[in-house]
Amino acid sequence: MSHDITVLGLESSCDDTAAAVVRGREILSSVVADQTALHAAYGGVVPEIAARAHAEKLDLCVERALAEAGMSFSKIDAIAVTAGPGLIGGVLSGVMMAKGLSAATGKPLIGVNHLAGHALTPRLTDGLDYPYLILLVSGGHCQFLRVEGPTTFSRLGSTIDDAPGEAFDKTARLLGLPQPGGPSVEQHARSGDELRFVFPRPLLDRPGCDLSFSGLKTALLRQRDQLIADQGGLHTQDVDDLCAGFQAAIRDVLIEKSKRALNASEGLSGFAVAGGVAANTELRAALETLSAKHGIPFVAPPLALCTDNAAMIAYAGAEKFTVEGADDLTLTARPRWPLDRAAPAALGSGKKGAKA
Ligand code: KG4
Ligand code: ZN
């Protein structure tokens, strides 16, 4: 197959600097340098700090990815790089690095949409056929995409404010739990009663697949403050019950909207999920049950390929190359780059950069 070319991928759109070498569906190396420690003191990703760290780490990641794959540049067929959407400084660091490498080695340059990287991952990991439905659910994204080809996507719905991962992180902060919030909230939710507190199910009363999560943290803040006013503080059971109620609201909204997205799509080969929130056991199980009810396979790639990485960029680059060929050195960084050109721009811009 023509996409069995060997591609070096670069990713630097948010807070992970990554490089990988992929041949066909084989990941020869995948290096990720995360910046969690650099941003820990600020409660979110600081774009300037992120951009500088990417510029410092990209060449080291490339060297390591090539070494781990046992390759030199002579064996690489093309260089793929995330050209957006994301934090402009980071995307620019990656694009400039890739252009430099392409100019120096003469290898073709491929600009990849970060979301296409996530959206094509089920093909890399499980060989899923087109068309399929994917739910991207992370700290920066939340959208339903019908994936029809390497560069053909239709967006069925997306968040109009926060991404679910952001909501988990804010909830953890409000309850004094460690970051990242998702795993901490999930752990407390295990011993909690999801019915003790009432949480809204935003946008379920409106048709369609758009989602909203910002109201949940307001609801949580109100319940927390009421408990503190009534009893002078929070007991462990209160924290567990708040986490369980919050997590159940996210799960219910995502499941109901997934149901609608599945009903609106015909001829799907499967339903896939990607993004850090896909690590949530309860959500994963509910999505799996829903897929089974619809009689289609459920694909949840391993977590290291659900979260930001460069293997997905290399793979998506290879697929794009086969249908559209290479970009030239006029390739630019696009902080906003919607996958579905026909869909209206989504509102909101999370802590991890612009949503497309
Ligand atoms: O995809 P990701 O690694 O980074 C980007 O957003 O780009 O996702 C990180 C997000 C964080 O907000 C984190 O709290 C959330 O995924 N997360 C979880 C879980 N593990 C990570 N959310 C819910 N449950 C989890 N087990
Ligand atoms: Zn991402």
Side-chain angles (χ1 to χ4, degrees):
M1 244 176 16
S2 53
H3 63 75
D4 277 2
I5 56 172
T6 304
V7 178
L8 168 70
L10 304 181
E11 157 62 35
S12 56
S13 63
C14 185
D15 58 349
D16 290 307
T17 315
V21 180
V22 172
R23 182 193 297 128
R25 289 183 46 212
E26 194 186 350
I27 299 172
L28 302 177
S29 65
S30 181
V31 175
V32 180
D34 84 74
Q35 304 178 352
T36 314
L38 292 178
H39 304 287
Y42 305 97
V45 176
V46 183
E48 270 305 311
I49 295 177
R52 230 170 296 139
H54 286 308
E56 280 167 17
K57 288 276 168 64
L58 269 163
D59 56 347
L60 299 174
C61 288
V62 168
E63 266 177 24
R64 253 186 66 200
L66 288 171
E68 284 179 20
M71 294 250 162
S72 64
F73 262 108
S74 60
K75 303 238 183 70
I76 298 287
D77 296 312
I79 299 161
V81 61
T82 299
L87 300 171
I88 182 68
V91 179
L92 207 52
S93 302
V95 168
M96 297 309 286
M97 175 82 181
K99 279 187 183 181
L101 291 174
S102 171
T105 60
K107 306 288 179 185
L109 172 71
I110 311 160
V112 174
N113 184 306
H114 177 84
L115 299 174
H118 281 303
L120 297 181
T121 299
R123 290 179 53 74
L124 167 63
T125 57
D126 291 75
L128 202 57
D129 287 328
Y130 297 120
Y132 56 90
L133 181 72
I134 186 161
L135 166 62
L136 297 185
V137 66
S138 71
H141 324 289
C142 187
Q143 52 187 289
F144 291 103
L145 291 166
R146 182 184 161 96
V147 187
E148 280 152 20
T151 58
T152 319
F153 307 89
S154 54
R155 202 181 71 210
L156 281 75
S158 65
T159 181
I160 60 166
D161 43 52
D162 291 353
E166 253 176 300
F168 270 102
D169 295 342
K170 284 177 185 166
T171 289
R173 220 166 291 133
L174 289 172
L175 296 175
L177 304 175
Q179 295 292 322
S184 330
V185 171
E186 177 170 20
Q187 195 196 337
H188 280 271
R190 266 190 216 117
S191 344
D193 171 7
E194 66 176 62
L195 300 175
R196 176 170 162 209
F197 298 104
V198 178
F199 280 88
R201 302 298 193 256
L203 292 195
L204 283 197
D205 54 341
R206 274 199 243 159
C209 301
D210 280 344
L211 307 113
S212 162
F213 298 100
S214 68
L216 289 175
K217 66 166 189 297
T218 317
L220 186 113
L221 180 65
R222 225 177 288 126
Q223 320 250 35
R224 181 201 71 174
D225 289 350
Q226 190 63 52
L227 285 167
I228 293 173
D230 291 347
Q231 52 189 46
L234 295 179
H235 303 296
T236 308
Q237 193 60 51
D238 298 329
V239 172
D240 293 353
D241 295 344
L242 284 168
C243 287
F246 166 84
Q247 182 176 271
I250 298 250
R251 176 203 63 208
D252 288 355
V253 168
L254 286 171
I255 292 300
E256 174 56 31
K257 297 285 176 167
S258 298
K259 213 182 280 175
R260 292 184 198 177
L262 286 167
N263 286 335
S265 302
E266 277 176 12
L268 296 174
S269 71
F271 180 32
V273 66
V277 181
N280 190 280
T281 317
E282 204 173 301
L283 176 64
R284 225 178 232 258
L287 290 169
E288 194 162 7
T289 307
L290 180 67
S291 300
K293 271 192 204 147
H294 277 257
I296 56 172
F298 175 66
V299 175
L303 200 60
L305 294 171
C306 271
T307 54
D308 288 351
N309 66 89
M312 69 179 189
I313 301 304
Y315 179 80
E319 283 223 31
K320 184 185 170 205
F321 188 61
T322 60
V323 292
E324 290 187 0
D327 286 286
D328 60 28
L329 291 178
T330 62
L331 179 72
T332 48
R334 299 175 63 179
R336 279 194 180 252
W337 182 3
L339 267 185
D340 179 349
R341 287 158 218 168
L347 302 174
S349 175
K351 70 174 167 43
K352 293 192 169 181
K355 294 175 189 74

